[in-house]
C-alpha cells in the first residue's frame, strides 16, 4: 500500500500542479471563457488513464500463465524505464515547467477553444499515462487485495487536495524537496518492480535461472508474516531471490540513485586571460 500511495501522491501532485498553473494563468489573463476547455481536456485525460489501467488488467486476465507472466514482465521493465526517465526529467525541468506551460497555453489560446482542450489533454494525459503504466505492475508486485489500489487512490486524493491548497495559496510546498525525496522513493520502488518483472520472465521461461537462488530466507522472514508483508510492500523484498533478480536490483538501484542524488554539476566560468600592458 505504501508503494502505490507514494506513486499516486507524486504523480497526482504533478498533474494537480500542471492544472493549477494552467487555471491560474487563464484567470490572471482574463480568459475564464477557456476554463471549460481545460476541464474538458483534463476529463478526457483522466478517462484515458483509467481506460489504460482497465485494458492492462482485463487483457492479462484472459491470457495463459506463460503469456500473463511474459506480459507482466515486459510491462514492468517498460514501466521502470518510463518512471526513471520521468524522475530525471522532473529533476532537470521542474524550475522551467511553469514558463513552458505558459508559452504553450499562449499559443493554444491563439488557435481557439479546442486547442486549449487538446493542450490540457496532452499535458495532463502524459502524467496520467505514467501513473497508469507504473501503478499496474506495482500493484501486481505488491500482491492481491484492495490495499495497493486503495493506497494509490488515497495518494491521488491527497495530491489533488494539496494541489488545490497550493493554488489557493493556503499552504506553501517546497516542490524541490518534495520531488527530490519522492524521486528517491520511486527509484527504490522501481528497483523492486524491475526485479519482480524479471522474475515473471523467469517463470514464463523467457529468462533462465528461476531455480538459481542468491538467498532463501523464507524461514526467517515468512512472506505471510507482518514483517515479511511490510518488507514486500515497502521495498518489494522477496525472501526467495534469484541471482538475476539480485544483480538487476543492485545494478539498477546503485547507479541510478547515485546519478539522482549527486549535486548538479556547475561549470566554473573561465577567467579572461590577463592583458599584458605594453612597456613604452
Amino acid at each position: 500500500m505504501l508503494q502505490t500511495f507514494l506513486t499516486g501522491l507524486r504523480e497526482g501532485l504533478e498533474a494537480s500542479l500542471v492544472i493549477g498553473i494552467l487555471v491560474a494563468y487563464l484567470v490572471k489573463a482574463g480568459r475564464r471563457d477557456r476554463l471549460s476547455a481545460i476541464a474538458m481536456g483534463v476529463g478526457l485525460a483522466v478517462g484515458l488513464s483509467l481506460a489504460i489501467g482497465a485494458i492492462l488488467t482485463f487483457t492479462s486476465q484472459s491470457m495463459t500463465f506463460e503469456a500473463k507472466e511474459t506480459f507482466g514482465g515486459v510491462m514492468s521493465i517498460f514501466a521502470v524505464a518510463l518512471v526513471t526517465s520521468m524522475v530525471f526529467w522532473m529533476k532537470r525541468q521542474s524550475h522551467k515547467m511553469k514558463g513552458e506551460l505558459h508559452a504553450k497555453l499562449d499559443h493554444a489560446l491563439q488557435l481557439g477553444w479546442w486547442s486549449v482542450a487538446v493542450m490540457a489533454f496532452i499535458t495532463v494525459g502524459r502524467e496520467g499515462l505514467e501513473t497508469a503504466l507504473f501503478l499496474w505492475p506495482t500493484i501486481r508486485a505488491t500482491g492481491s487485495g484492495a490495499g495497493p489500489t486503495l493506497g494509490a487512490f488515497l495518494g491521488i486524493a491527497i495530491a489533488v487536495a494539496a494541489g488545490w491548497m497550493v493554488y489557493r495559496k493556503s499552504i506553501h510546498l517546497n516542490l524541490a524537496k518534495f520531488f527530490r525525496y519522492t524521486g528517491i522513493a520511486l527509484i527504490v520502488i522501481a528497483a523492486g518492480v524491475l526485479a519482480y518483472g524479471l522474475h515473471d520472465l523467469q517463470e514464463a521461461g523467457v529468462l533462465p535461472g528461476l531455480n538459481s537462488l542468491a538467498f532463501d530466507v523464507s524461514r526467517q522472514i515468512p512472506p505471510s508474516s507482518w514483517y515479511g508483508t511490510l518488507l514486500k510492500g515497502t521495498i518489494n523484498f522477496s525472501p526467495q531471490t534469484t541471482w538475476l533478480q539480485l544483480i538487476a536490483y543492485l545494478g539498477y538501484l546503485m547507479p541510478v540513485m547515485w546519478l539522482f542524488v549527486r549535486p548538479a554539476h556547475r561549470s566554473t566560468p573561465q577567467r579572461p586571460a590577463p592583458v599584458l600592458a605594453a612597456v613604452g
Side-chain angles (χ1 to χ4, degrees):
M1 182 173 179
L2 180 60
Q3 287 189 18
T4 55
F5 171 79
L6 289 174
T7 303
L9 178 64
R10 172 172 176 123
E11 297 296 326
L13 186 58
E14 283 186 27
S16 297
L17 291 174
V18 167
I19 297 169
I21 290 172
L22 297 178
V23 171
Y25 188 70
L26 287 178
V27 172
K28 187 177 180 180
R31 297 303 305 270
R32 292 177 178 269
D33 58 312
R34 293 293 184 259
L35 290 177
S36 58
I38 297 293
M40 171 68 77
V42 171
L44 291 175
V46 172
L48 176 64
S49 303
L50 293 174
I52 290 174
I55 290 171
L56 290 174
T57 301
F58 292 125
T59 300
S60 62
Q61 288 179 351
S62 61
M63 294 179 176
T64 63
F65 174 78
E66 290 77 9
K68 182 186 297 184
E69 296 302 299
T70 301
F71 180 72
V74 171
M75 288 303 302
S76 296
I77 295 172
F78 177 71
V80 169
L82 184 67
V83 78
T84 304
S85 62
M86 176 270 296
V87 165
F88 281 96
W89 180 87
M90 182 57 70
K91 179 183 178 181
R92 295 190 305 267
Q93 302 294 330
S94 58
H95 63 287
K96 300 189 297 184
M97 183 173 64
K98 186 174 182 179
E100 291 180 353
L101 285 174
H102 286 176
K104 291 179 180 178
L105 188 54
D106 277 334
H107 180 68
L109 284 171
Q110 295 176 2
L111 297 178
W113 191 94
W114 281 105
S115 296
V116 175
V118 170
M119 183 261 178
F121 169 75
I122 294 175
T123 306
V124 179
R126 180 182 62 188
E127 305 295 339
L129 180 63
E130 291 173 354
T131 304
L133 291 179
F134 192 59
L135 277 178
W136 185 78
T138 305
I139 290 174
R140 287 187 75 244
T142 51
S144 59
T149 304
L150 179 61
F153 279 108
L154 183 61
I156 293 172
I158 293 177
V160 171
W164 171 253
M165 287 188 286
V166 170
Y167 168 74
R168 301 293 298 178
K169 298 182 180 179
S170 301
I171 61 171
H172 175 72
L173 186 64
N174 189 322
L175 295 179
K177 288 186 177 180
F178 174 83
F179 286 124
R180 178 178 176 84
Y181 294 144
T182 55
I184 290 173
L186 280 184
I187 290 172
V188 175
I189 293 172
V193 172
L194 175 63
Y196 183 84
L198 292 178
H199 187 263
D200 280 348
L201 294 177
Q202 287 180 311
E203 287 190 323
V206 177
L207 294 177
L210 178 61
N211 299 316
S212 180
L213 297 179
F215 57 83
D216 184 355
V217 293
S218 53
R219 289 186 177 181
Q220 295 79 6
I221 309 177
S224 58
S225 63
W226 68 266
Y227 46 92
T229 304
L230 179 64
L231 289 173
K232 178 71 173 178
T234 52
I235 61 173
N236 211 11
F237 175 78
S238 175
Q240 293 180 319
T241 298
T242 67
W243 278 108
L244 179 60
Q245 286 181 279
L246 180 62
I247 293 171
Y249 185 92
L250 297 177
Y252 170 88
L253 180 64
M254 292 191 295
V256 173
M257 187 67 77
W258 179 79
L259 289 172
F260 183 75
V261 301
R262 67 172 181 170
H265 176 71
R266 296 181 179 179
S267 57
T268 305
Q270 296 182 353
R271 296 181 179 180
V275 179
L276 300 178
V279 179

